[in-house]
Amino acid sequence: MNFKPLEGLIAAPFTPFNSEGKLNLELIPSYYRLLKSNKVTGAFICGSTGEGVSLTKEEKMLVAEAWADATNHDSEFKVMTLLGGTCIQDCKDLARHAHSIGLYAVSFTAPSYFKPANAAVLAEICAEIASEVPKMPFYYYHIPVLTGANIAMIDLLAEVKDIENFAGIKYTHEDFMDFLSCMNFDNGRYDMLWGRDENMLSALVLGAKASVGSTFNYMAPVYHQLIAAFERNDFKTAATFQQKSVDFIRLLGKYGGIATGKAYMKLIDMDCGYFRLPVKNMNSEQFLYFSDEVNALDFENFRSKA
């Protein structure tokens, strides 16, 4: 199938919850407007940042419908949903649902319990799911640190050549040799989306045109300035903005990991609630220390604004 490669910053949105831990779908229209006003070109929903693995199939459908309702008038804003990676039948159901509500694309990641033995098995799973939505771009989500599927993506691309709607890979790993090989595979046939915000500059050097990231939710201006500096060959300035990105990202690890992203969202007045168990959230005292450290990094001048 013919498809246009994605470009720019694609946010990985947090799934918003209320104080009771239930979906807060009313927030999604304003969430979309926040991303749009910060020149974000799309959303990768129900992924790692979106706690897709902690959502029921029904909740994933509701989240997808809310994003579809908020964005279907905007053909330039591309919404892709992660189907999951454990129950293949659920993935098929979610793929058909995504197509029925008008989302742009679907994505799938490797099963993390019964793991695929090799690239050929992984490609077979991809083919089975992708065939449910032959008119939609299908992306594989490579994040071996979470799935444990340590399969080289260049090997996967060699196995998926007959999947007509296999569009590319969301690549969240640090293997630049593999990433570059994938970019060059079959004359650049596949769309390679970079998935590590903290080393985007290195991916730009290799030719990446689109990135998917959680920090684009709350500090997209850092990356727009990084990209602009790179495009004018001002690598020193680009590296300065990459370091600023790293400085903010280091606080994610210091204050507990992925849930810290929702604390950042609170600081830009977009309260998405808390992460579900087993992810641990920071307490109120830690949030005060966190806020002080963020402010010390001059967050106000780099944050996304509505």
Side-chain angles (χ1 to χ4, degrees):
M1 64 178 295
N2 292 321
F3 64 90
K4 184 179 179 181
L6 298 173
E7 296 184 353
L9 305 182
I10 301 164
F14 300 92
T15 296
F17 298 127
N18 62 24
S19 59
E20 297 178 345
K22 303 292 180 63
L23 294 178
N24 181 17
L25 302 178
E26 292 77 11
L27 192 65
I28 288 177
S30 58
Y31 203 150
Y32 156 69
R33 290 191 294 271
L34 170 73
L35 298 179
K36 188 73 175 179
S37 66
N38 286 275
K39 300 178 182 179
V40 172
T41 61
F44 185 97
I45 64 173
C46 297
S48 304
T49 303
E51 298 178 78
V53 294
S54 298
L55 302 177
T56 67
K57 184 172 77 170
E58 291 73 22
E59 285 177 322
K60 289 180 184 179
M61 288 181 174
L62 291 172
V63 171
E65 289 167 10
W67 277 100
D69 290 342
T71 65
N72 274 352
H73 68 283
D74 185 354
S75 61
E76 297 302 312
F77 191 89
K78 309 298 187 184
V79 179
M80 179 191 318
T81 188
L82 181 65
L83 306 172
T86 302
C87 177
I88 295 174
Q89 186 56 55
D90 280 355
C91 291
K92 292 179 179 180
D93 294 342
L94 288 165
R96 290 192 299 271
H97 175 260
H99 181 264
S100 72
I101 61 176
L103 296 190
Y104 172 72
V106 295
S107 183
F108 165 78
T109 196
S112 56
Y113 189 87
F114 293 129
K115 297 178 178 63
N118 51 46
V121 174
L122 183 56
E124 186 177 352
I125 304 170
C126 289
E128 191 169 319
I129 298 170
S131 67
E132 298 289 324
V133 285
K135 301 300 183 182
M136 291 185 81
F138 177 96
Y139 286 80
Y140 177 71
Y141 179 16
H142 183 48
I143 185 165
V145 68
L146 292 181
T147 63
N150 292 297
I151 295 170
M153 289 296 95
I154 190 65
D155 294 337
L156 178 64
L157 292 185
E159 296 286 348
V160 299
K161 56 184 178 297
D162 294 328
I163 305 176
E164 292 187 4
N165 59 328
F166 192 102
I169 297 170
K170 177 184 182 293
Y171 199 99
T172 307
H173 190 35
E174 293 75 24
D175 188 341
F176 285 102
M177 182 177 74
D178 186 42
F179 181 72
L180 179 62
S181 297
C182 290
M183 291 194 66
N184 292 325
F185 182 82
D186 198 6
N187 297 313
R189 172 180 174 180
Y190 294 106
D191 194 15
M192 297 298 298
L193 313 178
W194 184 249
R196 286 287 190 213
D197 308 4
E198 61 270 30
N199 46 27
M200 176 195 283
L201 180 56
S202 299
L204 291 174
V205 170
L206 296 183
K209 300 299 183 184
S211 297
V212 181
S214 65
T215 63
F216 307 160
N217 288 293
Y218 48 83
M219 56 182 194
V222 173
Y223 300 98
H224 287 308
Q225 293 176 84
L226 187 163
I227 293 168
F230 172 78
E231 290 179 343
R232 63 175 183 267
N233 296 322
D234 184 354
F235 302 118
K236 182 176 181 180
T237 299
T240 298
F241 282 112
Q242 183 69 86
Q243 183 61 56
K244 179 59 69 173
S245 157
V246 168
D247 292 342
F248 286 117
I249 289 172
R250 285 191 189 280
L251 295 182
L252 294 175
K254 182 173 181 178
Y255 286 93
I258 193 169
T260 308
K262 282 193 172 181
Y264 270 114
M265 294 301 284
K266 288 182 172 66
L267 295 180
I268 66 167
D269 302 316
M270 181 69 67
D271 190 345
C272 295
Y274 295 96
F275 266 68
R276 288 178 171 174
L277 288 172
V279 176
K280 181 176 175 55
N281 297 277
M282 68 177 72
N283 60 36
S284 56
E285 182 179 7
Q286 290 170 322
F287 182 74
L288 292 176
Y289 288 123
F290 165 75
S291 300
D292 288 343
E293 290 209 54
V294 172
N295 290 332
L297 292 174
D298 197 21
F299 184 58
E300 186 61 29
N301 283 325
F302 297 102
R303 54 162 282 188
S304 297
K305 297 177 182 178

